[in-house]
PDB file of all heavy atoms in Angstrom:
ATOM      1  N   GLN G   1      -2.737 -11.931  16.457  1.00 92.00           N
ATOM      2  CA  GLN G   1      -2.060 -12.074  15.181  1.00 92.00           C
ATOM      3  C   GLN G   1      -2.611 -11.036  14.204  1.00 92.00           C
ATOM      4  O   GLN G   1      -3.800 -11.001  13.936  1.00 92.00           O
ATOM      5  CB  GLN G   1      -2.277 -13.479  14.615  1.00 92.00           C
ATOM      6  CG  GLN G   1      -1.585 -13.711  13.286  1.00 92.00           C
ATOM      7  CD  GLN G   1      -1.854 -15.110  12.764  1.00 92.00           C
ATOM      8  OE1 GLN G   1      -2.543 -15.915  13.404  1.00 92.00           O
ATOM      9  NE2 GLN G   1      -1.331 -15.432  11.605  1.00 92.00           N
ATOM     10  N   VAL G   2      -1.742 -10.220  13.682  1.00 96.00           N
ATOM     11  CA  VAL G   2      -2.149  -9.173  12.754  1.00 96.00           C
ATOM     12  C   VAL G   2      -2.266  -9.760  11.355  1.00 96.00           C
ATOM     13  O   VAL G   2      -1.362 -10.465  10.884  1.00 96.00           O
ATOM     14  CB  VAL G   2      -1.147  -8.007  12.755  1.00 96.00           C
ATOM     15  CG1 VAL G   2      -1.558  -6.953  11.735  1.00 96.00           C
ATOM     16  CG2 VAL G   2      -1.054  -7.386  14.154  1.00 96.00           C
ATOM     17  N   GLN G   3      -3.377  -9.438  10.699  1.00 97.00           N
ATOM     18  CA  GLN G   3      -3.580  -9.886   9.324  1.00 97.00           C
ATOM     19  C   GLN G   3      -4.007  -8.702   8.463  1.00 97.00           C
ATOM     20  O   GLN G   3      -4.740  -7.824   8.928  1.00 97.00           O
ATOM     21  CB  GLN G   3      -4.635 -10.991   9.276  1.00 97.00           C
ATOM     22  CG  GLN G   3      -4.180 -12.272   9.962  1.00 97.00           C
ATOM     23  CD  GLN G   3      -5.184 -13.395   9.817  1.00 97.00           C
ATOM     24  OE1 GLN G   3      -6.388 -13.181   9.876  1.00 97.00           O
ATOM     25  NE2 GLN G   3      -4.683 -14.617   9.614  1.00 97.00           N
ATOM     26  N   LEU G   4      -3.535  -8.713   7.213  1.00 98.00           N
ATOM     27  CA  LEU G   4      -3.862  -7.666   6.262  1.00 98.00           C
ATOM     28  C   LEU G   4      -4.512  -8.298   5.042  1.00 98.00           C
ATOM     29  O   LEU G   4      -4.076  -9.365   4.584  1.00 98.00           O
ATOM     30  CB  LEU G   4      -2.606  -6.901   5.839  1.00 98.00           C
ATOM     31  CG  LEU G   4      -2.014  -5.877   6.823  1.00 98.00           C
ATOM     32  CD1 LEU G   4      -1.405  -6.552   8.052  1.00 98.00           C
ATOM     33  CD2 LEU G   4      -0.968  -5.031   6.130  1.00 98.00           C
ATOM     34  N   GLN G   5      -5.527  -7.619   4.516  1.00 98.00           N
ATOM     35  CA  GLN G   5      -6.241  -8.139   3.355  1.00 98.00           C
ATOM     36  C   GLN G   5      -6.518  -7.008   2.382  1.00 98.00           C
ATOM     37  O   GLN G   5      -7.258  -6.072   2.699  1.00 98.00           O
ATOM     38  CB  GLN G   5      -7.552  -8.782   3.783  1.00 98.00           C
ATOM     39  CG  GLN G   5      -8.390  -9.303   2.629  1.00 98.00           C
ATOM     40  CD  GLN G   5      -7.773 -10.510   1.977  1.00 98.00           C
ATOM     41  OE1 GLN G   5      -7.469 -11.501   2.625  1.00 98.00           O
ATOM     42  NE2 GLN G   5      -7.553 -10.408   0.669  1.00 98.00           N
ATOM     43  N   GLU G   6      -5.934  -7.113   1.176  1.00 97.00           N
ATOM     44  CA  GLU G   6      -6.184  -6.117   0.142  1.00 97.00           C
ATOM     45  C   GLU G   6      -7.483  -6.413  -0.594  1.00 97.00           C
ATOM     46  O   GLU G   6      -7.869  -7.589  -0.738  1.00 97.00           O
ATOM     47  CB  GLU G   6      -5.054  -6.089  -0.889  1.00 97.00           C
ATOM     48  CG  GLU G   6      -3.667  -5.852  -0.349  1.00 97.00           C
ATOM     49  CD  GLU G   6      -2.916  -7.133  -0.075  1.00 97.00           C
ATOM     50  OE1 GLU G   6      -3.561  -8.206  -0.042  1.00 97.00           O
ATOM     51  OE2 GLU G   6      -1.698  -7.086   0.116  1.00 97.00           O
ATOM     52  N   SER G   7      -8.124  -5.368  -1.076  1.00 97.00           N
ATOM     53  CA  SER G   7      -9.312  -5.540  -1.914  1.00 97.00           C
ATOM     54  C   SER G   7      -9.385  -4.392  -2.904  1.00 97.00           C
ATOM     55  O   SER G   7      -8.906  -3.279  -2.634  1.00 97.00           O
ATOM     56  CB  SER G   7     -10.581  -5.600  -1.061  1.00 97.00           C
ATOM     57  OG  SER G   7     -10.775  -4.393  -0.362  1.00 97.00           O
ATOM     58  N   GLY G   8     -10.010  -4.682  -4.036  1.00 96.00           N
ATOM     59  CA  GLY G   8     -10.155  -3.675  -5.067  1.00 96.00           C
ATOM     60  C   GLY G   8     -10.267  -4.321  -6.429  1.00 96.00           C
ATOM     61  O   GLY G   8     -10.094  -5.536  -6.569  1.00 96.00           O
ATOM     62  N   PRO G   9     -10.557  -3.528  -7.451  1.00 95.00           N
ATOM     63  CA  PRO G   9     -10.713  -4.086  -8.797  1.00 95.00           C
ATOM     64  C   PRO G   9      -9.404  -4.616  -9.355  1.00 95.00           C
ATOM     65  O   PRO G   9      -8.337  -4.040  -9.111  1.00 95.00           O
ATOM     66  CB  PRO G   9     -11.232  -2.903  -9.615  1.00 95.00           C
ATOM     67  CG  PRO G   9     -10.802  -1.695  -8.859  1.00 95.00           C
ATOM     68  CD  PRO G   9     -10.802  -2.078  -7.424  1.00 95.00           C
ATOM     69  N   GLY G  10      -9.498  -5.687 -10.115  1.00 95.00           N
ATOM     70  CA  GLY G  10      -8.316  -6.285 -10.705  1.00 95.00           C
ATOM     71  C   GLY G  10      -7.973  -5.698 -12.074  1.00 95.00           C
ATOM     72  O   GLY G  10      -6.878  -5.949 -12.584  1.00 95.00           O
ATOM     73  N   LEU G  11      -8.890  -4.930 -12.640  1.00 97.00           N
ATOM     74  CA  LEU G  11      -8.683  -4.364 -13.967  1.00 97.00           C
ATOM     75  C   LEU G  11      -9.078  -2.884 -13.939  1.00 97.00           C
ATOM     76  O   LEU G  11     -10.178  -2.542 -13.492  1.00 97.00           O
ATOM     77  CB  LEU G  11      -9.512  -5.115 -15.005  1.00 97.00           C
ATOM     78  CG  LEU G  11      -9.402  -4.635 -16.454  1.00 97.00           C
ATOM     79  CD1 LEU G  11      -7.980  -4.830 -16.970  1.00 97.00           C
ATOM     80  CD2 LEU G  11     -10.406  -5.375 -17.324  1.00 97.00           C
ATOM     81  N   VAL G  12      -8.166  -2.044 -14.395  1.00 98.00           N
ATOM     82  CA  VAL G  12      -8.397  -0.606 -14.443  1.00 98.00           C
ATOM     83  C   VAL G  12      -8.023  -0.111 -15.836  1.00 98.00           C
ATOM     84  O   VAL G  12      -7.014  -0.555 -16.402  1.00 98.00           O
ATOM     85  CB  VAL G  12      -7.551   0.136 -13.376  1.00 98.00           C
ATOM     86  CG1 VAL G  12      -7.846   1.638 -13.398  1.00 98.00           C
ATOM     87  CG2 VAL G  12      -7.818  -0.432 -11.982  1.00 98.00           C
ATOM     88  N   LYS G  13      -8.809   0.791 -16.363  1.00 98.00           N
ATOM     89  CA  LYS G  13      -8.524   1.334 -17.692  1.00 98.00           C
ATOM     90  C   LYS G  13      -7.493   2.447 -17.613  1.00 98.00           C
ATOM     91  O   LYS G  13      -7.408   3.170 -16.609  1.00 98.00           O
ATOM     92  CB  LYS G  13      -9.814   1.856 -18.328  1.00 98.00           C
ATOM     93  CG  LYS G  13     -10.857   0.798 -18.611  1.00 98.00           C
ATOM     94  CD  LYS G  13     -12.056   1.371 -19.323  1.00 98.00           C
ATOM     95  CE  LYS G  13     -13.132   0.337 -19.524  1.00 98.00           C
ATOM     96  NZ  LYS G  13     -12.656  -0.815 -20.329  1.00 98.00           N
ATOM     97  N   PRO G  14      -6.699   2.590 -18.656  1.00 98.00           N
ATOM     98  CA  PRO G  14      -5.722   3.689 -18.685  1.00 98.00           C
ATOM     99  C   PRO G  14      -6.397   5.039 -18.464  1.00 98.00           C
ATOM    100  O   PRO G  14      -7.526   5.265 -18.913  1.00 98.00           O
ATOM    101  CB  PRO G  14      -5.134   3.578 -20.094  1.00 98.00           C
ATOM    102  CG  PRO G  14      -5.296   2.144 -20.460  1.00 98.00           C
ATOM    103  CD  PRO G  14      -6.597   1.719 -19.834  1.00 98.00           C
ATOM    104  N   SER G  15      -5.686   5.901 -17.766  1.00 97.00           N
ATOM    105  CA  SER G  15      -6.088   7.265 -17.394  1.00 97.00           C
ATOM    106  C   SER G  15      -7.033   7.304 -16.187  1.00 97.00           C
ATOM    107  O   SER G  15      -7.275   8.389 -15.641  1.00 97.00           O
ATOM    108  CB  SER G  15      -6.721   8.031 -18.558  1.00 97.00           C
ATOM    109  OG  SER G  15      -8.070   7.671 -18.740  1.00 97.00           O
ATOM    110  N   GLN G  16      -7.557   6.140 -15.768  1.00 98.00           N
ATOM    111  CA  GLN G  16      -8.441   6.118 -14.617  1.00 98.00           C
ATOM    112  C   GLN G  16      -7.639   6.071 -13.312  1.00 98.00           C
ATOM    113  O   GLN G  16      -6.400   6.039 -13.332  1.00 98.00           O
ATOM    114  CB  GLN G  16      -9.401   4.939 -14.711  1.00 98.00           C
ATOM    115  CG  GLN G  16     -10.408   5.066 -15.845  1.00 98.00           C
ATOM    116  CD  GLN G  16     -11.461   3.969 -15.812  1.00 98.00           C
ATOM    117  OE1 GLN G  16     -11.294   2.932 -15.184  1.00 98.00           O
ATOM    118  NE2 GLN G  16     -12.567   4.222 -16.509  1.00 98.00           N
ATOM    119  N   THR G  17      -8.361   6.075 -12.206  1.00 98.00           N
ATOM    120  CA  THR G  17      -7.738   6.017 -10.890  1.00 98.00           C
ATOM    121  C   THR G  17      -7.874   4.619 -10.294  1.00 98.00           C
ATOM    122  O   THR G  17      -8.971   4.064 -10.252  1.00 98.00           O
ATOM    123  CB  THR G  17      -8.359   7.048  -9.934  1.00 98.00           C
ATOM    124  OG1 THR G  17      -8.087   8.370 -10.423  1.00 98.00           O
ATOM    125  CG2 THR G  17      -7.782   6.909  -8.526  1.00 98.00           C
ATOM    126  N   LEU G  18      -6.750   4.092  -9.877  1.00 98.00           N
ATOM    127  CA  LEU G  18      -6.703   2.789  -9.211  1.00 98.00           C
ATOM    128  C   LEU G  18      -6.985   3.010  -7.722  1.00 98.00           C
ATOM    129  O   LEU G  18      -6.344   3.878  -7.091  1.00 98.00           O
ATOM    130  CB  LEU G  18      -5.315   2.187  -9.412  1.00 98.00           C
ATOM    131  CG  LEU G  18      -4.913   0.832  -8.834  1.00 98.00           C
ATOM    132  CD1 LEU G  18      -3.658   0.334  -9.552  1.00 98.00           C
ATOM    133  CD2 LEU G  18      -4.649   0.867  -7.350  1.00 98.00           C
ATOM    134  N   SER G  19      -7.920   2.246  -7.177  1.00 98.00           N
ATOM    135  CA  SER G  19      -8.263   2.372  -5.758  1.00 98.00           C
ATOM    136  C   SER G  19      -8.221   1.010  -5.091  1.00 98.00           C
ATOM    137  O   SER G  19      -8.904   0.082  -5.521  1.00 98.00           O
ATOM    138  CB  SER G  19      -9.657   2.985  -5.597  1.00 98.00           C
ATOM    139  OG  SER G  19      -9.707   4.296  -6.115  1.00 98.00           O
ATOM    140  N   LEU G  20      -7.437   0.906  -4.042  1.00 98.00           N
ATOM    141  CA  LEU G  20      -7.318  -0.333  -3.276  1.00 98.00           C
ATOM    142  C   LEU G  20      -7.495  -0.031  -1.783  1.00 98.00           C
ATOM    143  O   LEU G  20      -7.153   1.051  -1.321  1.00 98.00           O
ATOM    144  CB  LEU G  20      -5.958  -0.981  -3.488  1.00 98.00           C
ATOM    145  CG  LEU G  20      -5.621  -1.463  -4.894  1.00 98.00           C
ATOM    146  CD1 LEU G  20      -4.183  -1.954  -4.947  1.00 98.00           C
ATOM    147  CD2 LEU G  20      -6.571  -2.556  -5.345  1.00 98.00           C
ATOM    148  N   THR G  21      -7.995  -1.020  -1.077  1.00 98.00           N
ATOM    149  CA  THR G  21      -8.162  -0.903   0.367  1.00 98.00           C
ATOM    150  C   THR G  21      -7.492  -2.072   1.054  1.00 98.00           C
ATOM    151  O   THR G  21      -7.495  -3.188   0.540  1.00 98.00           O
ATOM    152  CB  THR G  21      -9.656  -0.865   0.728  1.00 98.00           C
ATOM    153  OG1 THR G  21     -10.237   0.325   0.182  1.00 98.00           O
ATOM    154  CG2 THR G  21      -9.854  -0.852   2.239  1.00 98.00           C
ATOM    155  N   CYS G  22      -6.896  -1.793   2.199  1.00 98.00           N
ATOM    156  CA  CYS G  22      -6.268  -2.830   3.016  1.00 98.00           C
ATOM    157  C   CYS G  22      -6.959  -2.854   4.376  1.00 98.00           C
ATOM    158  O   CYS G  22      -6.894  -1.884   5.133  1.00 98.00           O
ATOM    159  CB  CYS G  22      -4.784  -2.539   3.184  1.00 98.00           C
ATOM    160  SG  CYS G  22      -3.893  -3.780   4.164  1.00 98.00           S
TER     161      CYS G  22
END
Side-chain angles (χ1 to χ4, degrees):
Q1 181 181 359
V2 177
Q3 293 184 321
L4 284 69
Q5 178 70 54
E6 304 94 345
S7 63
L11 180 64
V12 182
K13 295 184 184 300
S15 80
Q16 292 187 342
T17 296
L18 179 163
S19 297
L20 296 175
T21 295
C22 181

